[in-house]
Amino acid sequence: MGCFGDGGAITTNSLEIADKIFLLRDHGQKTKTEILCYGYNSRLDNLQAAVLNVKLRYLPKWIERRREIAEIYNNGLKDIKEIKTPFVRQNNNILMFIKIMFS
């Protein structure tokens, strides 16, 4: 999720992904003397953090709207044999940030 300028936020419910992101955001450092991978210097200023704090309140609504729009696309394209849309299981928590179609 982007903010006003050169910042953003990542959300996950995976501890494995979260651990990797924590490494990447601070030069790949586990401790000050233990570097596990190449990383970045990713710090937000106060303004960018404030923008993200406000946007996080709306995230569940935005995700639901993206799912609704993806369903509209799937229903509208399902009878076109040259286009194949991804199969999505019911009650799946897929985000639908990017709509993928195969032709």
Side-chain angles (χ1 to χ4, degrees), residues 1 66-67 70 94-99:
M1 176 171 50
R66 286 180 175 154
R67 288 181 181 139
I94 192 166
L95 178 58
M96 293 296 182
F97 178 69
I98 300 173
K99 184 67 179 156

Side-chain angles (χ1 to χ4, degrees), residues 29-36:
Q29 295 180 15
K30 185 174 181 180
T31 66
K32 287 290 182 192
T33 59
E34 186 179 8
I35 299 172
L36 300 180

